[in-house]
Amino acid sequence: MANIVVVGTQWGDEGKGKVVDVITPHVNVVVRFQGGNNAGHTVVVGREKYVLHSIPSGILHPNCRCVVGCGVVVDPAAMIEEMESLVQRGVTLDGNLFISKNAHLIMPYHPALDRASEAKLGARRIGTTGKGVGPAYVDKAARVGIRMADLLDERLFREKVEVNLAQKNRLLREIYDAQTFTVEEILHPYLRYAGWLAPYITDTSLLLHRWIESGYSVLFEGAQATMLDIDHGTYPYITSSSTTAGGAATGTGVPPTKIDGVLGVAKAYTTRVGAGPFPTELSGPLAEHIRARGNEYGATTGRPRRCGWFDAMVLRYAVRINGIETIALTKLDVLDQCETVRVCTGYRHRGEILTEFPEEESALHEVEPVYEELSGWMTPTSGVTSEADLPAKARRYLERLNELIGVPFGLISTGPQRAETIVCEDSPLLGWYPSVRASLL
Ligand code: IMP
């Protein structure tokens, strides 16, 4: 059975939650491998809408086991709140949710440092979600992080909190002029969280190994996206984790030799939240139109997303970095009322045309997109379930995107519901999950 990684190809919010939800009935396990509750995966099931931040979207399927891998950073209070709200809505967690002992904790000083650092950066701020994700990964890399397993050992946990506070409080007080924390203020709630979370904390890398050996198929659910990757994204305007396919191995303990393929998710246009370069960004009424039709507001922070045209330079880069074999394209219907649509095919930089995505931060701030313009289809595509039923001009748009990015579309999403999905002819997805088309009928 195939073990597939699903990654975002742009700056996040591509609709990975829906794509994972469509695939989940065909896998046994869904695992998150990076990020934290900065993510917001929206899944619509019938009339119910779920926004998941820390827990894999697979949890909405009763037969799917969900794992929070070691590459994830967990805010226990936010995690418990999410768990409680799922339980209230009838979702079963016991026996379905497993959290890695080695996942790092987001501690109360992490969001405090995140916000204080952003305030200090002023005009150069990253525009983070303020959830403390960056500072938690800083501690992980600095080898002073506190992990899930530490939470289960009161003496060790206290010791680690004391060591951290000695440093963090100085930082908060002396550099940021911000509020400090006492050890007890942290221990009291966190030891309560420990009691709540203990039944779910386990050696998930061993569990995944055993499941894969016994023939289970695993879906690796990426959060954020390629252009926000710590190494390959638009540094420093990125998140602090390995969002690309390579992160699926390090963030779970499943070796690359057990991973069979990579699916990229892309929106039919581009959005970005937070600061940083965005070559195809639009402003004015067109940006407003796309934002309103696509409901482009952050699922975690509610911030309006910046909107722009499809950027084939970004997609080609994402295909290369992740080894993407097929793309799930989402939100095609958002462009239904555009008289013309544009696609960025290259960047103009200091008199030259670039055909490969530039990695240097300075170049990306200076590039000007080279556009190709196509006629819009001006016909509703919402809810269309077969390629043949798409308007000819929409098909032409998709063909052109395919030519430019070099890998085929596997799925096209035409609305938030599971059934509002086209499984493309010869979709590579059918090789991985042969009954995916039948399951959507
Ligand atoms: P952080 O992950 O909160 O540190 O934020 C760093 C950057 O990543 C900011 O530009 C955020 O807007 C962006 N970001 C983080 N999570 C998401 C997400 O789930 N979708 C889109 N952008 C995100």
Side-chain angles (χ1 to χ4, degrees):
M1 293 260 265
N3 302 319
I4 302 299
V5 186
V6 173
V7 285
T9 56
Q10 297 157 321
W11 278 279
D13 311 309
E14 295 91 352
K16 294 179 290 295
K18 164 164 175 186
V19 173
V20 169
D21 189 55
V22 165
I23 297 174
T24 301
H26 310 276
V27 301
N28 307 101
V29 184
V30 177
V31 51
R32 273 275 308 267
F33 55 90
Q34 45 69 228
N37 56 321
N38 49 350
H41 290 167
T42 307
V43 182
V44 178
V45 184
R47 291 180 174 195
E48 298 276 319
K49 180 172 157 183
Y50 298 84
V51 182
L52 295 152
H53 298 285
S54 307
I55 299 179
S57 320
I59 204 72
L60 304 177
H61 295 255
N63 297 323
C64 180
R65 295 169 188 196
C66 288
V67 174
V68 175
C70 61
V72 174
V73 286
V74 178
D75 180 327
M79 171 70 97
I80 291 169
E81 199 184 313
E82 198 170 323
M83 288 163 75
E84 279 179 329
S85 105
L86 286 170
V87 168
Q88 272 168 17
R89 294 173 79 176
V91 174
T92 306
L93 300 180
D94 294 355
N96 279 353
L97 180 66
F98 304 86
I99 304 171
S100 168
K101 282 184 179 175
N102 285 355
H104 280 246
L105 287 166
I106 298 182
M107 301 295 290
Y109 41 81
H110 290 134
L113 287 166
D114 196 352
R115 287 193 292 267
S117 154
E118 285 283 274
K120 193 103 183 156
L121 282 169
R124 291 181 66 83
R125 69 185 174 280
I126 313 291
T128 70
T129 60
K131 302 286 180 191
V133 168
Y137 280 114
V138 167
D139 280 0
K140 175 176 177 173
R143 296 164 291 185
V144 293
I146 307 183
R147 307 200 282 186
M148 270 343 253
D150 301 331
L151 197 55
L152 306 182
D153 179 338
E154 188 173 339
R155 190 194 52 77
L156 186 65
F157 184 66
R158 173 184 285 275
E159 207 176 288
K160 291 196 173 191
V161 171
E162 282 169 357
V163 168
N164 268 281
L165 278 190
Q167 185 217 36
K168 291 339 187 256
N169 277 343
R170 276 193 69 185
L171 203 57
L172 285 165
R173 191 174 48 239
E174 292 170 28
I175 306 287
Y176 295 123
D177 199 18
Q179 265 204 311
T180 55
F181 295 87
T182 65
V183 173
E184 296 310 321
E185 235 167 38
I186 293 182
L187 280 190
H188 184 66
Y190 270 61
L191 292 176
R192 249 189 323 115
Y193 303 151
W196 234 99
L197 292 174
Y200 303 94
I201 302 172
T202 186
D203 180 346
T204 52
S205 127
L206 180 62
L207 210 56
L208 286 164
H209 168 79
R210 289 193 175 141
W211 284 339
I212 291 172
E213 287 299 297
S214 72
Y216 279 16
S217 107
V218 178
L219 185 72
F220 299 83
E221 178 181 18
Q224 292 88 42
T226 305
M227 303 314 285
L228 292 171
D229 184 271
I230 181 95
D231 290 297
H232 305 290
T234 49
Y235 193 91
Y237 298 100
I238 44 116
T239 190
S240 301
S241 63
S242 295
T243 59
T244 43
T250 53
T252 59
V254 175
T257 45
K258 301 284 183 200
I259 297 177
D260 303 301
V262 184
L263 165 79
V265 186
K267 243 189 293 220
Y269 49 96
T270 315
T271 62
R272 175 166 202 171
V273 238
F278 179 1
T280 62
E281 183 168 14
L282 291 165
S283 57
L286 192 51
E288 286 300 330
H289 171 80
I290 293 176
R291 188 174 301 117
R293 271 189 68 85
N295 190 25
E296 296 297 355
Y297 295 89
T300 301
T301 59
R303 290 180 290 177
R305 296 178 184 141
R306 299 155 69 191
C307 297
W309 291 122
F310 189 89
D311 188 337
M313 291 285 276
V314 165
L315 258 288
R316 273 203 298 273
Y317 177 69
V319 165
R320 168 159 64 84
I321 294 290
N322 294 291
I324 290 169
E325 291 147 297
T326 181
I327 300 272
L329 192 80
T330 61
K331 293 191 149 181
L332 181 67
D333 53 302
V334 171
L335 301 180
D336 284 353
Q337 292 174 5
C338 294
E339 280 177 19
T340 54
V341 283
R342 288 178 148 200
V343 183
C344 170
T345 58
Y347 294 151
R348 196 169 285 111
H349 182 244
R350 300 189 181 174
E352 258 185 80
I353 301 289
L354 307 182
T355 52
E356 290 292 343
F357 191 81
E359 284 202 310
E360 318 82 275
E361 189 199 342
S362 55
L364 203 58
H365 283 279
E366 293 168 357
V367 299
E368 209 190 298
V370 177
Y371 284 120
E372 221 173 87
E373 195 165 276
L374 288 88
S375 286
W377 42 97
M378 303 294 284
T379 311
T381 60
S382 292
V384 169
T385 55
S386 98
E387 277 175 288
D389 292 338
L390 286 173
K393 286 177 178 165
R395 287 207 302 273
R396 176 67 201 124
Y397 179 65
L398 296 176
E399 268 164 32
R400 188 62 190 129
L401 299 192
N402 253 174
E403 284 162 11
L404 289 166
I405 61 187
V407 293
F409 290 127
L411 287 181
I412 296 168
S413 166
T414 55
Q417 298 286 346
R418 280 177 194 160
E420 294 173 318
T421 307
I422 299 172
V423 180
C424 302
E425 283 305 312
D426 306 322
S427 170
L429 225 69
L430 292 166
W432 297 329
Y433 313 113
S435 52
V436 74
R437 181 180 283 131
S439 70
L440 291 169
L441 296 177

